[in-house]
Structures are given as C-alpha cells and as structure tokens.
Amino acid sequence: MTTIPAVHTTTPDGELLSPAQPFPADAIAIVCDGVNYTVYQVGDALPPSEPE
Amino acid sequence: MNLGAFKRLLSLCGYPQTRVLSSTWAARPAANSVPVGQILQITDYGNKLFYSDGTLWRRWGNAPWAQLAVAASVTGTVTETVLATIAIPAGLMGVNGMLRITPLWSVTNNANAKTLMVRLGGTSISTAGAASQATYQNLIILRNRGVANSQVSPVTASTGNGFNGSAAATFAIDTSVAQNLTLTGTLGNAADTITLEGYTVEILNP
C-alpha cells in the first residue's frame, strides 16, 4: 500500500484534485479521501466496498 | 539446393531480419521516411507498437489504447477529483480520427448529486449526473472534423447513444499536441462515494 498526495489545482471550471504522481502499475484499488490517494497494491487486502 | 529450399533455410535461421525501430513518440521518424511496414516501438507510451503505411504511423493490432478495471474511488471531499489519467500522444488521433471512451462507474445510491465527467485537455467532453442511481456505463465518442482542432460529439450531458433533443456538442481541442484524458468524479455530499470501476479508451483512425 502506498499513499500519493492529492494536489489541488485551479481550472477554469473550478478546483480539481489530482494525484501528485502516476498510480503504480501494480495497483489493485485506489481510494481518494480528498487529501491523499491510497493505492492498494498486489498482495494488499482490498479496501472494504461501500454497502449498496 | 533449389531456391525455395534455400529461402526456407534462411527463414529457419531468422532471415530476412525485420529491424524494429525504437523511439519516443516525439522523436519518431516520419512515416514516409521508412519502408512501408516498418515497425516502431514507442518507448514513452508503454512500448506500444506501430507500423508505417507509407504516410502515417498506425497502431499494430487492434488493442485499446488504454484499459483498466482497477477501482478508483473518491469520498470525503466535494472537490472534483481525478480518478484516472490517460495520456494521448500528439497527433495520434488523426484529422478524421475518433476517440471512444467507455467508463463504468458505481455511486452511492441516494438522492445526493454526483457528477461523472470526462475531460480531454481540461475541456469537459462528457458530464453525467448520477443521483438516485447505483451504476452507470456510458459511451463517449469524440470525432475530429477533418482538422486536428475541431471535434464533434453527442451533447456532453448525453447518457450515451440514440436520439437527443439537443444539438451536437462541438469542441476546439488541439489534438495535434499531447493531451491528457481525465475521468473525474464530483460529490455533492462528501459522505458519499463515486467509484470508477474501469474504463476502455480507443483511438480509431481510418
């Protein structure tokens, strides 16, 4: 599991959050909480999915 | 040994050899400066293979430009959030080329607003609201109109294909320069979740 900071940029349409670097190729799931992107990688347990 | 047998012997020895060129997309040789059929490996876009048709470099095979089914989610913020970025090389979408994007989304199924957006070079080419829904797969088709910086597509808020009461949407995105395609989600309520479950991106040239 690795953490990538979420970067705030301003666009003509408003504010945009984007990862500070590309996601690793071995990612199996990614979750952004508004501050960071948490990248789950091969070998990590998947994050719990949201109940329907 | 006759000529046919000699050619078979050469082929078993790996001749004639076809040399695969290797280069970045920006530094690639002109397609008309190499023999027709020359293969080119593009090192800065995942070592994808192209071949020369004598005029243009064309993708080898019919694989999508990008495809992934790794779930990318946003929760905890109402700021528009990038969930995937796909680099589109300069000029790969030809003047009569087409970009076809098929994302699959999941969202918290409640009445709160959620916006699912696709941008090319920062310009929104598709916007979909997803309140009171659980999943959504749309098909976004953007066509160059004989030049690299003029496009047409169904209205950006379209849910996909079929009839629409609104005029087609037009854009002036310069595809002769490298552009990023981004898939983003915007929550109306930070307690909800938008998940980009996967996507396919294809670049089709005639």
Side-chain angles (χ1 to χ4, degrees):
Chain A
M1 188 184 306
T2 188
T3 301
I4 297 173
V7 177
H8 286 256
T9 53
T10 303
T11 72
D13 292 343
E15 205 174 1
L16 184 70
L17 274 178
S18 54
Q21 62 192 68
F23 300 130
D26 64 348
I28 57 171
I30 300 154
V31 178
C32 180
D33 62 3
V35 179
N36 292 301
Y37 289 81
T38 301
V39 180
Y40 298 81
Q41 293 166 281
V42 173
D44 293 337
L46 285 169
S49 58
E50 187 187 24
E52 290 288 320
Chain B
M1 180 183 294
N2 63 31
L3 182 60
F6 182 63
K7 285 183 174 177
R8 277 195 297 277
L9 178 63
L10 284 177
S11 69
L12 288 171
C13 296
Y15 293 95
Q17 291 181 327
T18 302
R19 191 168 69 92
V20 176
L21 299 178
S22 183
S23 134
T24 63
W25 181 253
R28 71 195 183 282
N32 62 6
S33 70
V34 297
V36 171
Q38 173 66 54
I39 298 171
L40 173 66
Q41 177 190 36
I42 297 297
T43 56
D44 53 345
Y45 287 97
N47 292 318
K48 290 182 170 68
L49 294 179
F50 289 75
Y51 71 93
S52 170
D53 70 357
T55 305
L56 299 171
W57 287 108
R58 296 184 175 279
R59 266 308 290 289
W60 183 269
N62 59 358
W65 181 249
Q67 183 166 282
L68 198 66
V70 170
S73 304
V74 58
T75 188
T77 178
V78 295
T79 301
E80 182 180 357
T81 301
V82 172
L83 298 174
T85 301
I86 299 101
I88 307 295
L92 180 57
M93 186 178 165
V95 294
N96 293 300
M98 184 176 102
L99 185 60
R100 184 165 62 193
I101 308 134
T102 315
L104 172 64
W105 310 83
S106 293
V107 297
T108 307
N109 189 353
N110 62 27
N112 298 328
K114 296 133 201 131
T115 304
L116 318 173
M117 191 175 289
V118 178
R119 293 180 180 272
L120 180 62
T123 299
S124 171
I125 59 171
S126 171
T127 305
S132 302
Q133 303 293 341
T135 61
Y136 181 56
Q137 179 167 274
N138 49 339
L139 181 66
I140 300 124
I141 295 177
L142 185 75
R143 294 176 170 90
N144 270 343
R145 311 191 85 174
V147 291
N149 61 351
S150 174
Q151 297 85 30
V152 65
S153 81
V155 60
T156 55
S158 168
T159 56
N161 296 309
F163 288 110
N164 195 298
S166 301
T170 57
F171 305 93
I173 303 164
D174 189 357
T175 60
S176 71
V177 299
Q179 300 284 5
N180 277 338
L181 181 74
T182 53
L183 288 82
T184 72
T186 309
L187 293 165
N189 183 322
D192 294 337
T193 300
I194 293 173
T195 301
L196 175 64
E197 301 281 2
Y199 59 83
T200 300
V201 175
E202 300 157 285
I203 300 169
L204 296 94
N205 288 304

